[in-house]
Structure formats: structure tokens, C-alpha cells
Amino acid sequence: MEYQEGLAFARYADKNDSLVGFRDKFYLPVQKSGEPYIYMCGNSLGLQPKSTKSYLEQELIDWKNLGVEGHLHAKHPWMPYHEFLTEKMARLVGALPKEVVVMNTLSVNLHLMMVSFYRPTEKRHKILIESDAFPSDKYAVESQIKFHGFDPEKSLIELAPRDGEELLRAEDIQKVIEEEGDQIALIMIGNTNYYTGQFFDMKKIAEWGHAKGCVVGFDCAHGAGNCLLNLHDSGVDFAVWCTYKYINSGPGSLGGVFIHQRHLDDKELPRFSGWWGHDKETRFKMRDDFNPIPTAEGWQLSNPPILSMAAIMASLDIFDEAGIHNLRAKAIKLTGYMEYLLDQLDNEDIKIITPRDPVQRGSQLSIQVKNADKRLFELITEDGVIADWREPDVIRVAPVALYNSFEDVYNFVEILSKNLSKMN
Ligand SMILES: Cc1ncc(COP(=O)(O)O)c(C=O)c1O
């Protein structure tokens, strides 16, 4: 797309956007003036689809009218409710349906995956993560290392960018895996990185890791519903993600799990078990020894929380209608347009630290602010932008293909520009 400056171009791009109608399927938060906010925060909490209410109401009505009978006789019976999400979620993350399940929340699922896939030995006990991994991931891997009687000081390798650089270089990741791979039990990287927005090549990392005998897992919180993840073809052993960011399912909603099919039949894999992971035929006989379902469902613990799942269903139906490939194509244009306009500002007080190559990023741009001056963020917030500030010095903005317009991007950069001029 050939970008141009000026509002006319933004309006032209919106007019020619085949997905433009999807914006109207969401509630945009409204300012006191009655104007909608410029919402650039779908990487943190996605907006509410207008349809979510009716999906929730259906379950409330069935609960009201049927009580416990709803497990079998609700319009969407609750007992298998999670199964109604599986195919749609699998399409979104590029997996086989049997490799995917929606359950629990992200950090919980990460622990459950590490129970199965982090099995340290005296020789191979290390975990490789990024130095700026999301704090919960870091706490989770450190606590797993300690749980197995090892010392994070010796067993945690943190991948840091080179001095003076913000991003990890692929060749540096490869080098660490080649040099230390024999001692690495698990590679667990955030994809896309929550701070920089850097998207890693999962297939390559999985190949490098597997060649050295490591297990490879990813936290896809910032990738799911945003990038084309191709989890099955990438060959990673497992992945976890949440659904409240780009998947718009509401605050604190459930997470998704991917387990590659090569592990699904392995009943010897240690796992923490619960009745919902047990064979469906005999689950209600209540007497049998644990016999895991030979799909990702075999990792479930509890019966599904229907109200959160109904919100996920509402959102996944929108993704199915729009198509993740179409959304990704639009996201590349929207984010590229924002990058173009920011570059036109040519202002030394800000710097985009997200990769310039669209293949290495999703929708998010991370704008580093000179001298970590948070005033800029506060000023744009006062002017009607919802973005977020991440310590130490970044404003994260994510134009989301489902509901952000080119005009939103234009207005955001105008507001940023106006406030940059107040900074010195
Ligand atoms: C990259 C990443 N990992 C993990 C988490 C933690 O998610 P949860 O609170 O659902 O466990 C988040 C939350 O924002 C995140 O962004």
C-alpha cells in the first residue's frame, strides 16, 4: 500500500477496506464529550463485541429455565460446551482441532504445560527465556525450576538484546541454543514480545531447539488473534495464550492451550489431572482410574465455565466471519500506515523499537519516549487516546484490524504530534 499524508488518504483507505463494517460490531468506549476514544489498546484488553450480551443471555436463560438439566439440554449443552470452541480456536491459531483446548487462564496453563514438558535432569535442567519476558512467565519458570530442586541462578538463561539494541537477533538466539542446548530442558519464549512487539520465528526456534533435544513452548498471549501463528506446522511442543486481548472475550477470561499431536497419545507424560481430562465414556461412572482423553482435552481439570466460554464463542464467530488471513492482511496495512505517519513526524523524542519488518511484528508498535518522559503518555490520554505505558519508557499502541480504522490511526498520530510539540 502506498501511504500518503493527510486525512483524505485515511478516509480513502477506510472506504476501500473490505473489513470496515466489523468496527460496528464492537462497543467503542465513549468520552465525556460523547466522542469515542481512539482505542489503541486491544493488545491489552480487546473491546466488547455487541453480540456478546446475547450469547451470555442465552446461557443465563437456559440456567434459569433448566437448572442442572442445562448440562445436557441447554441450546448449547454445557457438558461439551468447550468443544464448540475448539474448531474455531484451532483455525485462529493454525492447529488441528485435537491439538487445542480452551481452559483455565494463561499462567495456570503455563504451569500445567511445564508439569508435562519441563522435566529437568542433572544434565539438562535449564530454561531459556527472554530477559524482558512478561513477569508472570518469569515467575512461573523460576518457580518451576525451584519446585524441581534447582536454582534459577544456574538454571535460568535470559536472552538479552546486544548492548545498545532493543530487539533480540535471531542469530543470537540460535547461538545460545547451539552452545547451551545440551543443558536446556525447555525453551519458553513470549511470542509476540509484550514490550517490544517483536514476533519470533517459532518454526526456526523449534527446529534449533529440537536439534539439541530441547522442548520448545511459546506464550502466544500477544500473538493469538493478531498474527498467523501456524502452531501445528511450526512444530512447537506446546503453546498457551489468553483470549482477553486480541480475542475480545472480556477481562480475565479463559486461556487457550496447544499441544502438538505427537504428544497427545503419550499417557506416560506426567500431568496434573482432573476429571474433565478423563475419558468421556467413563467420566460419570466415577470409579475408573484416570484415563486421559487422547487430545489436548486430556489436560483439562475442571468442567467448563460457561459464561466466559459464551463470550469467547461470540468473539470467535466474528473471527470466523472476518477470516484471520483477511484480518492479518489489514493489520499489516494499518500498522504500516501508523509507522509511516510516525516516521513523517521525524521527531527525536520518540523512536519505534518494534521491528520494521512486518513479518517480525503483529499489530503493536512500541514507541520509546526520550528520557522516559511519561508526560507524553498522560497528555495523549487527556486528549482521548487509550493506549498504555509500559515501564521503563514505552507507549504501546495497537491498531486492531477488527475495529480500528485508518482514520483512528491518523487521529492518533495528530494528537501525538500536537503533544510532542509541548514537550520541550
Ligand atoms: C505475555 C503475557 N504472558 C502472561 C500474561 C498473564 O496472563 P494471565 O493473567 O491471564 O495469567 C500476560 C497478561 O497480560 C501477558 O501479556
Side-chain angles (χ1 to χ4, degrees):
M1 191 174 213
E2 285 271 320
Y3 304 119
Q4 292 168 24
E5 291 183 79
L7 180 58
F9 173 80
R11 291 193 169 152
Y12 167 83
D14 283 330
K15 228 175 138 194
N16 287 283
D17 168 19
S18 60
L19 298 174
V20 74
F22 282 86
R23 178 181 175 89
D24 198 38
K25 291 183 186 289
F26 292 85
Y27 290 111
L28 289 160
V30 178
Q31 306 182 51
K32 280 195 190 123
S33 65
E35 284 290 299
Y37 280 99
I38 299 171
Y39 195 81
M40 291 287 162
C41 220
N43 56 330
S44 182
L45 184 73
L47 292 181
Q48 183 185 139
K50 291 179 181 166
S51 57
T52 302
K53 191 174 175 200
S54 65
Y55 282 67
L56 291 179
E57 272 172 357
Q58 179 65 52
E59 302 317 319
L60 291 174
I61 290 167
D62 286 345
W63 180 21
K64 183 175 106 185
N65 292 336
L66 300 171
V68 71
E69 294 291 309
H71 283 297
L72 294 177
H73 300 300
K75 184 170 176 205
H76 306 290
W78 302 328
M79 201 159 69
Y81 198 97
H82 58 282
E83 295 172 26
F84 306 140
L85 306 178
T86 302
E87 281 194 19
K88 297 170 204 272
M89 186 62 93
R91 260 197 293 286
L92 202 57
V93 297
L96 305 176
K98 65 180 174 181
E99 293 172 319
V100 166
V101 67
V102 175
M103 61 180 193
N104 311 313
T105 45
L106 194 162
S107 303
V108 173
N109 287 331
L110 179 54
H111 274 296
L112 292 180
M113 290 299 100
M114 286 196 279
V115 166
S116 294
F117 295 109
Y118 175 55
R119 296 153 67 197
T121 61
E122 276 308 317
K123 263 195 72 190
R124 190 190 279 278
H125 52 88
K126 296 190 179 175
I127 299 183
L128 178 68
I129 62 167
E130 324 108 278
S131 62
D132 62 350
F134 192 82
S136 193
D137 293 5
K138 196 164 168 219
Y139 305 149
V141 296
E142 277 176 352
S143 64
Q144 287 279 340
I145 288 170
K146 288 186 196 159
F147 177 73
H148 287 281
F150 292 90
D151 174 3
E153 287 286 321
K154 297 188 186 117
S155 298
L156 190 62
I157 311 175
E158 296 186 51
L159 280 165
R162 295 184 188 184
D163 279 349
E165 298 187 7
E166 311 293 339
L167 303 171
L168 281 170
R169 294 191 191 199
E171 66 260 35
D172 292 351
I173 303 176
Q174 185 178 16
K175 190 159 172 269
V176 174
I177 296 173
E178 263 165 23
E179 286 175 1
E180 303 203 46
D182 294 339
Q183 296 171 38
I184 296 174
L186 173 65
I187 298 170
M188 220 307 294
I189 292 180
N191 185 309
T192 314
N193 181 273
Y194 83 100
Y195 188 75
T196 62
Q198 182 174 13
F199 179 85
F200 296 104
D201 187 333
M202 292 192 278
K203 192 166 194 218
K204 276 204 182 121
I205 295 175
E207 280 167 9
W208 298 332
H210 289 159
K212 286 293 208 173
C214 318
V215 175
V216 182
F218 281 90
D219 171 353
C220 294
H222 287 264
N226 175 22
C227 303
L228 300 178
L229 294 177
N230 299 323
L231 288 176
H232 176 80
D233 288 344
S234 73
V236 303
D237 296 286
F238 72 85
V240 290
W241 59 95
C242 58
T243 61
Y244 44 77
K245 298 179 187 296
Y246 293 92
I247 307 182
N248 311 315
S249 72
S253 185
L254 301 171
V257 169
F258 163 88
I259 300 155
H260 198 278
Q261 70 168 346
R262 64 178 167 274
H263 300 298
L264 297 177
D265 283 331
D266 185 352
K267 292 190 180 175
E268 299 308 311
L269 267 181
R271 69 179 96 190
F272 286 169
S273 311
W275 73 318
W276 226 253
H278 179 82
D279 172 36
K280 291 176 202 176
E281 296 298 316
T282 58
R283 183 189 284 148
F284 285 94
K285 293 196 176 142
M286 310 299 229
R287 293 289 178 270
D288 295 86
D289 288 342
F290 181 66
N291 181 20
I293 302 167
T295 71
E297 288 185 34
W299 273 262
Q300 294 173 116
L301 300 179
S302 303
N303 75 101
I306 300 305
L307 297 180
S308 270
M309 288 206 167
I312 297 174
M313 178 98 90
S315 173
L316 290 179
D317 282 346
I318 295 176
F319 273 96
D320 255 6
E321 200 186 329
I324 186 67
H325 286 86
N326 298 331
L327 288 167
R328 175 67 185 141
K330 175 174 172 186
I332 291 171
K333 292 181 195 160
L334 262 185
T335 305
Y337 176 54
M338 184 184 276
E339 178 183 41
Y340 165 82
L341 292 180
L342 290 170
D343 286 346
Q344 301 303 307
L345 297 181
D346 194 20
N347 189 307
E348 287 189 354
D349 287 342
I350 54 169
K351 180 179 145 196
I352 298 170
I353 60 168
T354 306
R356 292 295 181 151
D357 173 8
V359 174
Q360 294 180 56
R361 70 183 184 207
S363 299
Q364 175 183 325
L365 290 183
S366 300
I367 303 171
Q368 190 174 52
V369 184
K370 198 170 165 189
N371 301 327
D373 193 342
K374 199 174 170 186
R375 265 184 317 144
L376 181 62
F377 172 70
E378 288 158 359
L379 287 169
I380 63 169
T381 306
E382 278 166 28
D383 277 347
V385 172
I386 299 184
D388 69 15
W389 173 265
R390 279 287 172 266
E391 296 295 343
D393 60 0
V394 153
I395 298 173
R396 300 188 307 176
V397 278
V400 170
L402 269 174
Y403 47 75
N404 282 122
S405 61
F406 287 83
E407 193 165 336
D408 279 342
V409 171
Y410 175 85
N411 289 332
F412 161 70
V413 179
E414 284 290 292
I415 290 173
L416 189 76
S417 166
K418 181 183 106 185
N419 287 301
L420 274 167
S421 62
K422 295 184 190 163
M423 295 293 287
N424 290 315

